[in-house]
Amino acid sequence: MAHTETHAGISAPRPNSVAIIVAALRKWQRSVARRKALADLTPDQLRDIGYPRDDIGHPQVNRPVLEIKAGLMTKLMSMR
């Protein structure tokens, strides 16, 4: 008599996929902790560590920054 097996189609997760899930979870936890720590810092402290305030997601600070070198206005006015 022939022996037949039926499979439900659901397999146990492989060790590699479990490692990927654990790594993704740890990465997410670190990013949440980093965002919380940055949100508690003052603008002066953020400037001290070289982290722009708009990188943390504060919409009121998201504005373009224009750096102008010394003498630029004089040069532009002379070209006029």
Side-chain angles (χ1 to χ4, degrees), residues 32-75:
V32 168
R34 185 180 306 116
R35 274 185 266 141
K36 285 181 181 179
L38 287 173
D40 292 339
L41 296 178
T42 65
D44 291 332
Q45 290 171 327
L46 289 170
R47 222 179 357 263
D48 287 344
I49 63 172
Y51 202 88
R53 184 80 177 164
D54 58 347
D55 283 354
I56 345 173
H58 294 280
Q60 67 270 19
V61 185
N62 286 340
R63 57 182 174 265
V65 176
L66 182 63
E67 294 183 21
I68 300 175
K69 294 181 181 179
L72 178 64
M73 284 308 295
T74 306
K75 184 186 261 184

Side-chain angles (χ1 to χ4, degrees), residues 13 16-27:
N16 191 24
S17 62
V18 172
I20 292 171
I21 292 170
V22 169
L25 179 63
R26 287 183 179 159
K27 182 179 178 181

